[in-house]
Amino acid sequence: MDPKLLDLLHTWVEKSGRALELRVARTLRTAGNASVQQSFTYLDEVTGMVRESDALARFRWTSLNDVPCDLTVAIECKSRSDKPWVAFYDRQIASASNLDKWVVYAHGPFVGITEPLDELWLGEPPFSDVQVATHVVEALSNDSRNRANDSVRQVLSCAASVKTKFLKNLSPNRPALVLLAAVVTAAPLVTCTLDASEKVLMTQVDQIQVWGNNADGTRARVFVLNESVLPAFASGLRDRAIAAGHATDS
């Protein structure tokens, strides 16, 4: 192949975001030992349109009566890096006393599947009690589109579709799904808050959590990560699945 054409293709793969999607999927598999489905379609429950999402990662464990369960993460990848994403916070620190502040449960009339998870997972990565941004904005943009918030809405739409599909196909052989939403972005992440004297404080970080709105109006947390911290995020989810399986064994 012509070297110039090959260089153009390399540039195209990076700018298109497909290189980031490939790296994210590989990291989830290697660092998290997850089963990863790439580039899959889902039905947007708000618009009724079929859309494409980037990755669906499943961290599995065996629960009671040798029944397999899934900790599933819907992931959107955003490769644009020229505009920072700024996360805004109010003065209150989020306090989460149970996992449903982080995750969405989907299950049938089964008991003993997800009940132990609060004790096993709360306080452990990535379910540590951290401050949650009220919203996130793509900064320094020349247009009115907020791509950061669009990404949050998109991944929550995907997660809602995954839950609906799971419940429609619910069976005793797979009775429970624990669902998360995450965005992996190449954009710099910056937190914005006020100090005691009302001065604006801005800090660059590698990850945030932000509130997003589900279609039914309820709030949900979305993990927003730079690629550099994805291995730790994936290994944390792997460890939570392992802990759930070990608890069942005991």
Side-chain angles (χ1 to χ4, degrees):
M1 182 179 290
D2 185 339
K4 291 184 179 180
L5 177 57
L6 192 57
D7 287 343
L8 287 173
L9 286 175
H10 276 293
T11 301
W12 172 77
V13 169
E14 286 290 349
K15 287 187 175 181
S16 69
R18 288 166 175 81
L20 177 60
E21 293 170 16
L22 291 172
R23 292 195 299 269
V24 166
R26 174 172 287 187
T27 298
L28 291 165
R29 293 187 182 105
T30 56
N33 196 29
S35 170
V36 183
Q37 182 180 355
Q38 294 175 247
S39 190
F40 66 98
T41 58
Y42 67 93
L43 180 65
D44 188 310
E45 296 184 355
V46 176
T47 66
M49 297 177 61
V50 175
R51 303 189 66 173
E52 183 176 358
S53 191
D54 297 326
L56 195 69
R58 294 181 175 89
F59 301 81
R60 290 175 170 155
W61 74 94
T62 301
S63 188
L64 299 173
N65 300 319
D66 295 325
V67 173
C69 293
D70 288 349
L71 169 57
T72 298
V73 188
I75 300 172
E76 288 295 322
C77 301
K78 301 301 176 183
S79 62
R80 183 170 177 173
S81 61
D82 59 328
K83 306 293 184 184
W85 289 11
V86 180
F88 293 88
Y89 297 81
D90 60 22
R91 295 184 178 185
Q92 295 182 346
I93 301 296
S95 178
S97 57
N98 46 50
L99 272 177
D100 61 14
K101 301 298 183 182
W102 271 280
V103 306
V104 172
Y105 291 116
H107 54 74
F110 310 102
V111 296
I113 301 298
T114 59
E115 285 82 355
L117 297 184
D118 273 7
E119 181 177 350
L120 290 170
W121 290 0
L122 274 179
E124 301 293 337
F127 305 116
S128 302
D129 195 13
V130 299
Q131 192 175 14
V132 185
T134 57
H135 58 296
V136 62
V137 176
E138 183 185 63
L140 308 178
S141 297
N142 294 323
D143 53 42
S144 59
R145 181 179 177 185
N146 180 4
R147 292 179 177 84
N149 189 60
D150 287 350
S151 300
V152 168
R153 290 188 305 185
Q154 184 177 355
V155 75
L156 286 178
S157 173
C158 176
S161 177
V162 170
K163 176 182 177 179
T164 297
K165 183 176 180 180
F166 177 85
L167 291 175
K168 284 182 178 178
N169 297 287
L170 189 67
S171 74
N173 293 326
R174 189 170 295 279
L177 174 73
V178 182
L179 189 61
L180 294 176
V183 177
V184 179
T185 178
L189 298 175
V190 179
T191 62
C192 181
T193 189
L194 297 176
D195 67 10
S197 64
E198 307 300 317
K199 179 182 177 181
V200 171
L201 297 178
M202 306 193 75
T203 306
Q204 185 167 355
V205 296
D206 294 319
Q207 57 186 317
I208 62 171
Q209 292 179 34
V210 62
W211 289 119
N213 293 314
N214 290 311
D216 61 3
T218 59
R219 293 198 307 176
R221 291 194 196 203
V222 176
F223 294 86
V224 181
L225 316 165
N226 285 148
E227 190 177 354
S228 61
V229 296
L230 182 62
F233 179 72
S235 61
L237 295 176
R238 175 204 63 202
D239 292 346
R240 302 294 73 75
I242 291 172
H246 285 172
T248 301
D249 293 340
S250 62

